Amino acid sequence: MRPLPPLNALVAFEAVARTGSVGAAAEELFVTPGAISRQLKLLDEFFETNLFERRGRGLALSPSGAAYFERIHAHIEGIRKATAKLQHHENRTVVRVHSHTTFATRWLIPRLSQFQVSHPGIDVHLTTSSEWTPGADCDAAVRLGNGRWAGYEATPLVPNVLVVVCAPSLVQPSRPVDAVWLAQQTLLVVSARPDDWSIWCAQAGFDATAMVRQRIFESSAVAYEAAQDGLGIVAAQEVLIGQELASRRLIAPFDVRVDRGNETYYLVIESSRRQRRSLIALRNALSRTK
């Protein structure tokens, strides 16, 4: 009988190949990125080849890795579906939740952990991505918007307040923090949220067009890390940077907070599913937690 590769390593490989990053795979499997990297190394040693290649700061499948993923993905997905059916048969309910990556890591995952403790008969399977994918195979999703989606019930989860933040090192006691100072900073812009800066500037009374130095990031999480490293200043969602503000890894140089009102994060459930007991329990647990 031919030996199988290490199964934990196989699951880690499939998750990284499917999600496109070590970080996203770690979030999905509820382990650290370091643990994922160690599993990938084990699989490389098993096959005596590299299944991924370095591309800039990220990873991409090598030709052999791509061919292997194509062959095994359907089998692993089949195992997931068979497992979900058996768990349901054994009086366990699986709830599949999809979320934006940054919101999942900074707000949702700790609350899902609490939910699992309170509801041991419900298993939550979380998937993440930088953007919402219409038609995603899930029971509930976290979406950012105005709460109006035809055919869906939307429950607001958090206040969406914009604040401008930066590393303390960018603010000098001898220099005023004003429009001139702001115009000289590097703006960290999130491609999925391109209007945050103009919205904040309009409320604060600053000319957004005067700020020409920019760096663009795909995700808010990376932009927040860059801000902590002193690479620039970012218009952030206050609910997602509470720990950084409390520890003063980030500070708000301007006393301007812009509440986006209905434009916030919602737990979204198809209207046809909203009466499922498991989804009612999930909605009640998350909407109570501000």
Side-chain angles (χ1 to χ4, degrees):
M1 182 179 294
R2 295 180 180 178
L4 289 172
L7 295 183
N8 284 341
L10 194 63
V11 171
F13 164 78
E14 190 271 346
V16 174
R18 175 169 42 80
T19 62
S21 77
V22 169
E27 293 161 9
E28 179 177 313
L29 299 176
F30 295 97
V31 298
T32 65
I36 294 291
S37 297
R38 288 191 291 273
Q39 294 297 334
L40 295 183
K41 183 178 180 182
L42 281 176
L43 207 58
D44 283 350
E45 292 172 352
F46 179 87
F47 288 114
E48 298 182 345
T49 188
N50 292 326
L51 299 177
F52 289 93
E53 299 172 340
R54 283 284 175 190
R55 296 278 178 84
R57 294 186 177 182
L59 291 176
L61 285 166
S62 67
S64 57
Y68 190 57
F69 174 70
E70 184 177 355
R71 293 187 182 101
I72 70 167
H73 172 62
H75 299 290
I76 293 180
E77 187 60 27
I79 292 172
R80 287 196 186 97
K81 292 179 179 178
T83 301
K85 287 182 180 179
L86 180 59
Q87 287 176 328
H88 185 75
H89 180 71
E90 296 295 330
N91 297 319
R92 297 188 64 81
T93 301
V94 174
V95 173
R96 301 161 301 166
V97 180
H98 181 276
S99 174
H100 301 280
T101 304
T102 302
F103 189 83
T105 58
R106 290 175 171 259
W107 191 90
L108 183 60
I109 287 176
R111 289 158 179 84
L112 287 181
S113 298
Q114 297 169 12
F115 176 78
Q116 297 257 223
V117 171
S118 303
H119 300 80
I122 301 175
D123 289 335
V124 178
H125 293 180
L126 175 66
T127 58
T128 64
S129 63
S130 297
E131 298 180 358
W132 164 254
T133 303
D137 187 18
C138 61
D139 300 300
V142 174
R143 295 185 67 174
L144 179 62
N146 59 17
R148 296 190 296 271
W149 293 283
Y152 289 87
E153 176 191 77
T155 303
L157 297 177
V158 295
N160 184 17
V161 177
L162 294 179
V163 291
V164 162
V165 295
C166 64
S169 60
L170 292 187
V171 178
Q172 304 300 322
S174 60
R175 184 177 179 187
V177 177
D178 54 17
V180 174
W181 176 87
L182 183 61
Q184 294 173 346
Q185 305 306 310
T186 298
L187 304 191
L188 308 181
V189 180
V190 180
S191 59
R193 302 174 52 81
D195 299 327
D196 282 357
W197 266 112
S198 60
I199 291 169
W200 184 88
C201 285
Q203 182 73 27
F206 293 118
D207 180 8
T209 63
M211 295 170 280
V212 296
R213 297 167 56 187
Q214 296 185 3
R215 291 186 180 182
I216 299 177
F217 297 88
E218 181 179 352
S219 77
S220 298
V222 178
Y224 298 160
E225 291 293 331
Q228 291 179 69
D229 289 340
L231 298 182
I233 185 166
V234 63
Q237 293 168 291
E238 190 176 47
V239 70
L240 301 183
I241 56 166
Q243 292 184 357
E244 288 80 2
L245 289 173
S247 64
R248 290 189 61 79
R249 296 195 299 275
L250 289 173
I251 62 171
F254 297 98
D255 187 22
V256 177
R257 300 169 70 252
V258 180
D259 190 338
R260 298 298 313 283
N262 291 335
E263 188 73 16
T264 189
Y265 289 98
Y266 293 82
L267 183 71
V268 176
I269 301 170
E270 280 190 58
S271 299
S272 61
R273 303 183 184 186
R274 68 177 185 272
Q275 296 303 323
R276 292 185 183 179
R277 286 182 294 178
S278 58
L279 296 179
I280 291 173
L282 179 66
R283 181 189 62 207
N284 291 342
L286 295 181
S287 62
R288 286 200 303 266
T289 309
K290 304 298 183 187

